[in-house]
Amino acid sequence: MKKNFWQSITVTPIIVGASLLANSPAKAGEEINLAQANNDSNTQIINQLDSYGAEGGVTSQDQVTSVSQLRDVSPTDWAFEALRSLVERYGCIVGYPDRTYRGNRALSRYEFAAGLNACMQQMERLIASSESVLREDIEKLKRLMSEFEAELAALGARVDNLEGRVAFLEDHQFSTTTKLQGEVIIALTQAFEDGNQAILGNRVRLVLNTSFTGEDNLVTRLSAGNFGAFNTTGTNRYRTGGLPITNVPTSGSSGTTNQTFNLYPGSGNDVLVDWLAYYAPIKLGKDSQIQAYLAAFGGIHSDYTPTLNPFFEDYDGGNGALSTFASENPIYRIGGGSGAGLSYQLGFLEGLLGPSTLTVGYLAGGASSAASPADGEGIFNGDYALLSQLNFNLSDTVALGFTYVNAFQKADTALFGGGGTAGIVGTTFANQSASALNERFQSRFPGATVDQKDKIVNSYGSQFAWRITDSISFSAFFNYSNVTRIGRGNDDIWTYGGGFAFPDLGKEGSVLGIFAGVQPYNASPTYFITDAAGNSRRVRVSSTTLPVHVEAFYKYQLTDNISLTPGVIWVNSTNQGQNDDQIIGTLRTTFTF
């Protein structure tokens, strides 16, 4: 539901009428009196008109001003010649831009009547504005009206009915500027280790999209859910000053088992606003503009930055990958909250590298609040993440992106927490949140606290997407983050992954996805702790099993609005420990409206 606006949002006009049916019928007057057909005849004619209108959508309303331009109309009847002279003199017929009437068939009486109706309206407008109309043309029009009076009457009945329905919708619509979108996820899921039970839960998102100009979009999203996070217990080894290597059971928080539906505010289905943002273009000239993004609350970098992970990325919605890791490069999880982003197309690189964009963005929030005026908080004096990305479309099927993030985070902010204190993806040691580290160590050192410091982050990432064929897509990412814990040294955080997607497999809209990689991990985690007795010591994690992640899912599109996604996730080491792997099975049902 949360999407990159200028990549995934399109302006979709609502067309009430199309082709020849776009014009309203002439009203009865003193000089022109339309005969009424019987009800059965009207019903039959209206049904046939319905069938014509269902033969394909019209994407253009370009006018064709000559009957002879309509190649499949056979000019063998007197009426054809009569109408052609009216059309070419008064320019009153609207046809398809390919000059045909869907299927190379002869023009029917009902379609002809619709064209005649258009000429009636055009001549009425000319007469009303005191412009000249030839008497002989009025005589032609009268004769044609007499010949097609039943069809014109049925057309009038149909348009009157449509006008009534449109008026009703206008009187009862939710808003003239706002559209409501919704997504409901109901999922059955279980982690088959460490005593986790099977759970059935939900997450609901309701989005109000408001446009004031037709090109902008104000997004207000309400969200609720009730899924509980799985336990990630396991073992690990620590080396401490003066102590031997010891196997230590731990239960610290980890983001390695998160699925996208685990992300929601509040608890117990409390409904809260979790995203408030505004998108708008800034015009720089005739063919140049900047796409602007403003987040008042709940912003993340993937809102405005191309993530180059098609079919896996659904902006933490219910139609892509199951896990938060397979959805996008974890570099986009660094920081979040309030701020702004800009994206500009680099025209001077287009001839060399194809359509290319430069994206920059700044988001503030985390353990500090962007909305707080307190010292060490606010939009510029607390947690922040500054992103820049170059994106290259090397061809119609290949895209490449390079990303850099510079961030400052308080001690309790999770590195990959999207501006929060809990890791959305990655191990506890990778996320570096003080509260999670305390929980992690206290099983070995009761009452101990980690001397965690504020962090400076420099993170480098790359993304690659290749549409191999219409039915096979490959995408991959890489990320290295250097984290400086002020006064406590540096940590190297690594992550990478890639996957194949098979769109429209079995049914249009369905997707089979297979993804594998290594979740964010700390290459050499070392910490200073203070135990309950006040003694300080240096603790180094001496065994760091890589958190290998393998995922497979198949999203089956039952209908346009309902999908069913069975899948399985295996994580080798949820906390860089030993023997703490997890196997998670999920059956996700997604309803969209």
Side-chain angles (χ1 to χ4, degrees):
M1 299 285 292
K2 182 177 273 193
K3 299 189 175 180
N4 178 343
F5 181 69
W6 43 91
Q7 279 203 327
S8 58
I9 301 296
T10 57
V11 178
T12 306
I14 298 174
I15 303 175
V16 176
S19 76
L20 297 179
L21 300 181
N23 297 295
S24 300
K27 301 298 182 182
E30 294 181 359
E31 296 148 352
I32 300 177
N33 186 14
L34 298 180
Q36 299 297 315
N38 61 58
N39 290 336
D40 292 338
S41 177
N42 278 353
T43 300
Q44 181 181 2
I45 294 169
I46 290 171
N47 289 339
Q48 187 163 352
L49 288 171
D50 277 331
S51 69
Y52 297 147
E55 290 185 8
V58 178
T59 57
S60 172
Q61 296 188 44
D62 295 338
Q63 285 195 340
V64 177
T65 57
S66 174
V67 174
S68 61
Q69 288 181 272
L70 301 169
R71 296 191 301 263
D72 58 358
V73 177
S74 178
T76 58
D77 191 84
W78 70 269
F80 175 88
E81 188 64 33
L83 183 59
R84 181 176 65 178
S85 64
L86 295 178
V87 167
E88 295 180 351
R89 185 167 296 157
Y90 301 103
C92 53
I93 193 171
V94 178
Y96 295 101
D98 62 0
R99 302 181 182 180
T100 66
Y101 275 100
R102 295 296 186 264
N104 295 321
R105 53 182 170 78
L107 185 64
S108 71
R109 289 179 61 85
Y110 309 108
E111 292 169 308
F112 192 95
L116 175 58
N117 178 69
C119 282
M120 289 168 50
Q121 281 198 313
Q122 177 69 354
M123 294 177 71
E124 284 181 344
R125 285 192 291 268
L126 292 174
I127 293 171
S129 59
S130 300
E131 296 187 35
S132 60
V133 175
L134 296 178
R135 179 176 295 277
E136 62 184 78
D137 290 337
I138 295 177
E139 295 300 324
K140 289 179 183 178
L141 184 63
K142 287 182 178 180
R143 186 181 176 189
L144 289 169
M145 288 170 55
S146 177
E147 178 73 18
F148 293 91
E149 60 180 359
E151 290 79 9
L152 288 170
L155 182 61
R158 172 165 173 74
V159 175
D160 285 343
N161 182 50
L162 287 175
E163 288 177 345
R165 292 169 62 187
V166 170
F168 177 84
L169 291 173
E170 289 177 345
D171 291 341
H172 294 82
Q173 64 185 331
F174 171 72
S175 169
T176 57
T177 58
T178 302
K179 292 184 179 180
L180 174 67
Q181 288 181 298
E183 179 190 77
V184 176
I185 297 174
I186 300 175
L188 174 66
T189 183
Q190 181 175 8
F192 296 98
E193 299 288 340
D194 305 317
N196 285 295
Q197 303 301 309
I199 59 175
L200 179 66
N202 72 88
R203 191 193 66 187
V204 179
R205 285 177 169 178
L206 298 177
V207 183
L208 301 175
N209 290 303
T210 303
S211 181
F212 304 100
T213 67
E215 295 181 321
D216 62 343
N217 189 26
L218 174 65
V219 183
T220 306
R221 189 174 71 189
L222 307 176
S223 185
N226 69 347
F227 279 106
F230 291 123
N231 296 322
T232 54
T233 60
T235 60
N236 214 316
R237 293 176 181 267
Y238 300 101
R239 184 187 298 277
T240 66
L243 294 176
I245 296 174
T246 307
N247 286 330
V248 182
T250 61
S251 59
S253 301
S254 171
T256 53
T257 59
N258 275 335
Q259 300 181 71
T260 59
F261 49 68
N262 289 128
L263 305 182
Y264 54 86
S267 61
N269 276 317
D270 291 338
V271 179
L272 297 173
V273 175
D274 74 335
W275 186 32
L276 180 61
Y278 181 65
Y279 296 90
I282 301 175
K283 304 290 186 180
L284 300 179
K286 182 179 179 181
D287 299 316
S288 179
Q289 67 180 21
I290 293 175
Q291 300 290 351
Y293 168 78
L294 177 65
F297 182 77
I300 57 177
H301 294 301
S302 56
D303 290 342
Y304 63 90
T305 309
T307 59
L308 304 187
N309 201 21
F311 305 109
F312 295 98
E313 170 71 286
D314 189 43
Y315 308 92
D316 296 324
N319 286 288
L322 294 172
S323 71
T324 54
F325 173 67
S327 296
E328 62 184 32
N329 190 333
I331 195 172
Y332 300 114
R333 307 287 187 181
I334 301 176
S338 304
L342 300 171
S343 184
Y344 177 67
Q345 185 162 330
L346 304 174
F348 65 92
L349 289 177
E350 186 166 349
L352 179 65
L353 296 171
S356 306
T357 57
L358 170 64
T359 302
V360 295
Y362 176 93
L363 294 174
S368 64
S369 172
S372 171
D375 186 37
E377 303 200 22
I379 191 72
F380 299 117
N381 202 30
D383 290 54
Y384 76 84
L386 177 64
L387 175 145
S388 61
Q389 176 169 310
L390 281 171
N391 207 66
F392 308 105
N393 292 311
L394 304 181
S395 70
D396 291 339
T397 59
V398 178
L400 180 65
F402 297 98
T403 310
Y404 169 70
V405 173
N406 173 262
F408 171 81
Q409 295 182 335
K410 297 286 188 178
D412 203 32
T413 300
L415 177 60
F416 301 103
T421 58
I424 293 175
V425 63
T427 68
T428 303
F429 296 134
N431 276 290
Q432 303 282 359
S433 171
S435 58
L437 288 170
N438 284 335
E439 181 185 358
R440 183 85 165 125
F441 281 102
Q442 282 174 0
S443 63
R444 175 64 178 85
F445 308 102
T449 58
V450 178
D451 186 16
Q452 179 69 322
K453 301 296 184 179
D454 294 346
K455 308 178 289 291
I456 297 173
V457 181
N458 287 286
S459 189
Y460 310 87
S462 61
Q463 299 76 233
F464 174 77
W466 179 23
R467 188 67 180 266
I468 302 172
T469 68
D470 288 343
S471 56
I472 304 176
S473 174
F474 173 75
S475 55
F477 59 71
F478 167 83
N479 174 227
Y480 162 70
S481 298
N482 179 263
V483 179
T484 300
R485 289 179 286 139
I486 299 174
R488 287 292 180 261
N490 295 332
D491 287 336
D492 295 320
I493 315 298
W494 301 85
T495 182
Y496 40 88
F500 286 91
F502 303 89
D504 297 330
L505 182 65
K507 185 178 181 181
E508 185 177 359
S510 299
V511 176
L512 171 65
I514 302 172
F515 198 92
V518 176
Q519 292 222 20
Y521 70 96
N522 194 330
S524 56
T526 301
Y527 301 93
F528 293 86
I529 68 169
T530 302
D531 61 23
N535 300 315
S536 296
R537 64 181 71 195
R538 184 171 180 267
V539 179
R540 180 171 64 87
V541 179
S542 58
S543 176
T544 55
T545 305
L546 295 183
V548 176
H549 176 112
V550 179
E551 175 177 346
F553 66 90
Y554 179 62
K555 186 194 77 166
Y556 182 72
Q557 199 70 41
L558 292 172
T559 70
D560 290 342
N561 302 99
I562 304 174
S563 66
L564 188 66
T565 308
V568 63
I569 301 169
W570 174 69
V571 182
N572 181 49
S573 173
T574 59
N575 273 319
Q576 295 185 232
Q578 296 174 336
N579 304 318
D580 62 346
D581 60 309
Q582 292 274 9
I583 298 176
I584 301 172
T586 297
L587 180 60
R588 179 185 69 193
T589 306
T590 305
F591 306 87
T592 58
F593 55 91

